Amino acid sequence: MLTLTSVWTTILLAAAVALGPLATDMYLPAMPQIGSDFGTGTDQVQLTLSLYLAGFAIAQLICGPLADRFGRKPIMIGGFVLFALASLGCALATNIETLQVCRFLQALGGSAGPVLGRAAIRDIYTPREAAKILAILASIMAVAPAVAPTIGGVLVTGLGWSSIFIALGAYALIMAVVVAYGIPEPMRPEYRQPLKPCALLKNYRRIITDVSFLGYSLTNAAIFAGLFAFLSGSSFVLIDFLGVAPRHFGLYAACVVAGFIIGNLTAVRLGRNLNTDQILVRGLMVAVAGGATMAILAYQEIYNVWAVILPQALFMIGTGMVLPQTMAGALANFPTMAGSASALFGFIQMALAAVAGGLVGHFHDGTSLVMASIIAVCAAIAMACYLILVQRHPAPGFEPQGASSR
């Protein structure tokens, strides 16, 4: 079994966390085909994505406290098994309603990987170190959304969309075995929390009333909502509106993910000389520029693939700089209840993302205008949350990243 600080432990945690983006990104090229097969509209197909996020958000509030009581590993393993069973249900679905229900159940299990992966990083590292590790982890994890749409496009073209869910279920089972036998339990025994309703409510109340936590969480959630607005609308915009072949969809998605990786690596490099506040504001400025550019091009009716992909790649550079800092900042004050803090953080993140995805599906007009507008608004909200909350109430325990080198 690996040591907690081993680079392979970080890689395996990244693989566990990657189940979340795999479950959203791999089936994006199949969404138009699912709508055609079930004879339903864009809004109902998109609802399978929003319901996944809603289930993901709700489940985190449960698995976080459970992990604070029983440890990270058993909850993560149980979540992967549930995810695999729900994936089989998705593959066998014969109507859109069944697929929606199974996607919700899939999310209940899939939430364990991301929420407990973040908590495990906080268990192992200090807040300053965690920001760097989360950025590295995010770069590794970004391989999943880079290759997932391409794999999904090949599967839907050759074997049909149900094969995507079979592949996801198999991945979850493999990760259950890897976590069981490859990673030690990262949580210290003395940090275990009682599993009592009053204690849970008290913990959540303490966390949500921490202005620093709220600021980092809302900044993160707003920028993530912009990312999810793109995930919700990109397949319909690129495939249905702009005529991209499903098998080529993943190539354009890889360009967007490349932006995210560049942002992550930039954050790591800047962390040698700049503090978290300086990295955050630079990332937010880049994200706002990307979102505004896409919206302006759409309002000018400049409709082509690169008018969507290039601004979104710029937005993702900013996103890659912002997400690791806000994750580490939100968890910095809660070393003894990192599972609950990570769960509440994830709930806020996914709830706002579900709203953004729902708005894209509801108001989609057949062009890129709605998607681009929502991405731009999300970036602006993230900047406002930073200026109003984070800048005024930084996490007291969140040391500048360059402090150790001075």
Side-chain angles (χ1 to χ4, degrees):
M1 189 169 285
L2 300 170
T3 60
L4 287 176
T5 55
S6 166
V7 66
W8 286 106
T9 297
T10 300
I11 292 173
L12 291 179
L13 286 173
V17 174
L19 187 62
L22 280 174
T24 55
D25 294 0
M26 189 179 286
Y27 95 125
L28 292 179
M31 290 174 73
Q33 185 61 52
I34 290 172
S36 176
D37 287 355
F38 289 149
T40 190
T42 300
D43 58 336
Q44 290 299 307
V45 179
Q46 194 282 329
L47 190 57
T48 63
L49 206 52
S50 291
L51 282 173
Y52 179 86
L53 279 199
F56 207 95
I58 293 169
Q60 290 185 85
L61 295 178
I62 300 170
C63 73
L66 286 175
D68 280 344
R69 174 64 182 89
F70 299 107
R72 315 304 185 203
K73 285 183 58 174
I75 308 304
M76 195 179 289
I77 293 167
F80 287 146
V81 172
L82 175 58
F83 181 96
L85 293 174
S87 296
L88 181 60
C90 290
L92 298 177
T94 56
N95 54 63
I96 193 65
E97 292 79 14
T98 301
L99 181 61
Q100 289 169 349
V101 170
C102 289
R103 281 288 283 171
F104 182 82
L105 295 175
Q106 192 184 41
L108 298 183
S111 67
V115 69
L116 300 183
R118 288 193 301 264
I121 293 297
R122 181 62 187 90
D123 292 333
I124 300 168
Y125 299 99
T126 67
R128 178 171 54 84
E129 293 169 337
K132 296 179 181 178
I133 297 298
L134 283 167
I136 295 170
L137 184 146
S139 298
I140 298 170
M141 212 180 87
V143 174
V147 303
T150 301
I151 295 172
V154 171
L155 288 175
V156 72
T157 301
L159 300 174
W161 59 264
S162 61
S163 63
I164 294 173
F165 293 105
I166 293 174
L168 286 170
Y171 182 89
L173 289 178
I174 292 171
M175 287 313 306
V177 175
V178 168
V179 170
Y181 296 103
I183 302 176
E185 173 58 55
M187 186 182 183
R188 298 181 184 180
E190 63 269 25
Y191 282 175
R192 292 182 186 267
Q193 299 288 314
L195 193 62
K196 299 177 181 178
C198 290
L200 294 180
L201 291 175
K202 182 179 178 181
N203 286 348
Y204 276 137
R205 183 174 60 194
R206 177 187 164 190
I207 295 166
I208 198 65
T209 54
D210 185 294
V211 180
S212 175
F213 171 86
L214 200 59
Y216 286 110
S217 296
L218 290 176
T219 302
N220 179 287
I223 211 76
F224 187 81
L227 163 60
F228 195 76
F230 177 79
L231 294 179
S232 297
S234 59
S235 61
F236 297 104
V237 169
L238 295 179
I239 295 174
D240 286 350
F241 177 51
L242 297 175
V244 172
R247 65 181 180 277
H248 296 150
F249 177 85
L251 299 177
Y252 293 106
C255 295
V256 172
V257 174
F260 185 70
I261 295 173
I262 290 170
N264 287 149
L265 297 179
T266 299
V268 174
R269 185 174 181 82
L270 290 178
R272 299 171 186 170
N273 301 307
L274 302 180
N275 63 35
T276 302
D277 180 85
Q278 293 169 322
I279 297 172
L280 261 180
V281 72
R282 284 164 172 74
L284 287 168
M285 290 171 66
V286 173
V288 168
T293 299
M294 191 193 301
I296 290 169
L297 290 173
Y299 274 102
Q300 293 297 318
E301 297 186 355
I302 300 175
Y303 295 133
N304 63 68
V305 171
W306 295 112
V308 173
I309 295 300
L310 292 181
Q312 183 63 22
L314 184 61
F315 175 88
M316 292 299 288
I317 291 174
T319 300
M321 295 171 67
V322 168
L323 292 189
Q325 317 306 318
T326 50
M327 287 180 192
L331 303 184
N333 287 343
F334 306 102
T336 63
M337 54 180 80
S340 295
S342 180
L344 191 55
F345 173 88
F347 174 81
I348 295 171
Q349 182 191 65
M350 292 299 171
L352 264 66
V355 171
L359 290 174
V360 171
H362 182 74
F363 292 107
H364 180 61
D365 63 352
T367 73
S368 61
L369 181 59
V370 171
M371 181 186 75
S373 300
I374 292 175
I375 292 171
V377 169
C378 288
I381 292 173
M383 178 64 84
C385 290
Y386 166 79
L387 293 174
I388 295 170
L389 296 172
V390 174
Q391 195 173 54
R392 297 180 183 180
H393 303 279
F398 203 17
E399 306 168 50
Q401 291 186 13
S404 63
S405 64
R406 294 191 177 99

